[in-house]
Amino acid sequence: GAGVSQSPSNKVTEKGKDVELRCDPISGHTALYWYRQSLGQGLEFLIYFQGNSAPDKSGLPSDRFSAERTGGSVSTLTIQRTQQEDSAVYLCASTGLSWNYGYTFGSGTRLTVV
Amino acid sequence: DQQVKQNSPSLSVQEGRISILNCDYTNSMFDYFLWYKKYPAEGPTFLISISSIKDKNEDGRFTVFLNKSAKHLSLHIVPSQPGDSAVYFCAASAGNFNKFYFGSGTKLNVKP
């Protein structure tokens, strides 16, 4: 597609439930990133995928968070047993081989855990 | 521990005047810096970058200045326009592009 697509745009879930957030990167982009922005905070790095290499998971805040990228394209971020502190905007970004223009971000998924 | 800090959560400027957005960082290994602009309900969009080998990069109305000794960078917008009203994030990376550290953002309001 023309841009990075994320779904759903908004998600309200009950504490303790699992959620899946989807990211469809720009076609041909080899690198895919997940960030989140909590209220009043900057963007916090979560995970990075590059081609077929092992992902950099160093930013995942707990083992309740996991992500996968199937076929080098679509990525799913899964949060198990959601907690209220997981409420944030989850942003996905992708980039190609050239770093001249930085990441291209999607519009994000606003997750609210009640 | 925030390695990139934007200490001004908001800034208000009159149309036509200069907007100066500031960013400080603590990690001396950072060598590549980005500025992003974010409108409500949209993802951040890339604005301008600078590498540590330069102290200034200019693109139209936008100029980024880097002071490595002070670990400080700033974004100048001149002249400011109402359409520039958005949240601006600075971000920094150390030696690779796998991970950027973002500041908490500054909300710019340009008044007509």
Side-chain angles (χ1 to χ4, degrees), chain A residues 4-20:
Chain A
V4 177
S5 178
Q6 291 188 246
S7 62
S9 54
N10 280 285
K11 176 73 177 179
V12 180
T13 190
E14 290 181 354
K15 179 180 170 182
K17 296 283 178 71
D18 297 352
V19 294
E20 282 190 354

Side-chain angles (χ1 to χ4, degrees), chain B residues 10-87:
Chain B
S10 64
L11 174 68
S12 189
V13 170
Q14 201 68 37
E15 180 179 7
R17 307 294 288 267
I18 185 171
S19 296
I20 300 176
L21 299 117
N22 293 303
C23 180
D24 297 292
Y25 59 96
T26 57
N27 188 341
S28 58
M29 298 300 291
F30 287 151
D31 60 1
Y32 199 79
F33 305 88
L34 306 173
W35 281 95
Y36 279 84
K37 179 168 76 171
K38 185 181 184 303
Y39 293 116
E42 295 182 11
T45 56
F46 171 78
L47 198 55
I48 194 168
S49 65
I50 190 167
S51 79
S52 59
I53 62 172
K54 302 174 81 170
D55 54 19
K56 176 183 174 181
N57 189 25
E58 191 171 352
D59 184 2
R61 295 185 298 112
F62 302 90
T63 303
V64 56
F65 295 91
L66 176 63
N67 183 333
K68 290 184 288 293
S69 61
K71 297 193 184 69
H72 177 83
L73 65 156
S74 60
L75 175 68
H76 293 209
I77 308 173
V78 55
S80 302
Q81 300 173 353
D84 297 330
S85 297
V87 177

Side-chain angles (χ1 to χ4, degrees), chain A residues 57-78:
Chain A
K57 304 180 182 180
S58 60
L60 294 178
S62 78
D63 59 7
R64 296 186 295 104
F65 287 73
S66 63
E68 58 180 31
R69 188 178 184 193
T70 54
S73 181
V74 172
S75 177
T76 303
L77 177 69
T78 301

Side-chain angles (χ1 to χ4, degrees), chain A:
Chain A
V4 177
S5 178
Q6 291 188 246
S7 62
S9 54
N10 280 285
K11 176 73 177 179
V12 180
T13 190
E14 290 181 354
K15 179 180 170 182
K17 296 283 178 71
D18 297 352
V19 294
E20 282 190 354
L21 312 179
R22 177 189 167 103
C23 172
D24 204 339
I26 290 174
S27 179
H29 276 191
T30 56
L32 185 148
Y33 309 77
W34 283 97
Y35 280 79
R36 75 175 176 181
Q37 184 183 14
S38 304
L39 192 64
Q41 302 295 314
L43 278 69
E44 175 190 2
F45 168 80
L46 297 177
I47 189 169
Y48 159 68
F49 296 91
Q50 173 61 276
N52 295 322
S53 303
D56 176 354
K57 304 180 182 180
S58 60
L60 294 178
S62 78
D63 59 7
R64 296 186 295 104
F65 287 73
S66 63
E68 58 180 31
R69 188 178 184 193
T70 54
S73 181
V74 172
S75 177
T76 303
L77 177 69
T78 301
I79 310 172
Q80 296 178 311
R81 304 181 303 282
T82 52
Q83 304 294 312
Q84 287 185 328
E85 62 263 27
D86 300 334
S87 296
V89 176
Y90 288 81
L91 290 158
C92 176
S94 69
T95 186
L97 295 176
S98 170
W99 250 101
N100 289 341
Y101 303 104
Y103 302 139
T104 300
F105 279 94
S107 54
T109 294
R110 180 175 295 278
L111 175 66
T112 304
V113 182
V114 297

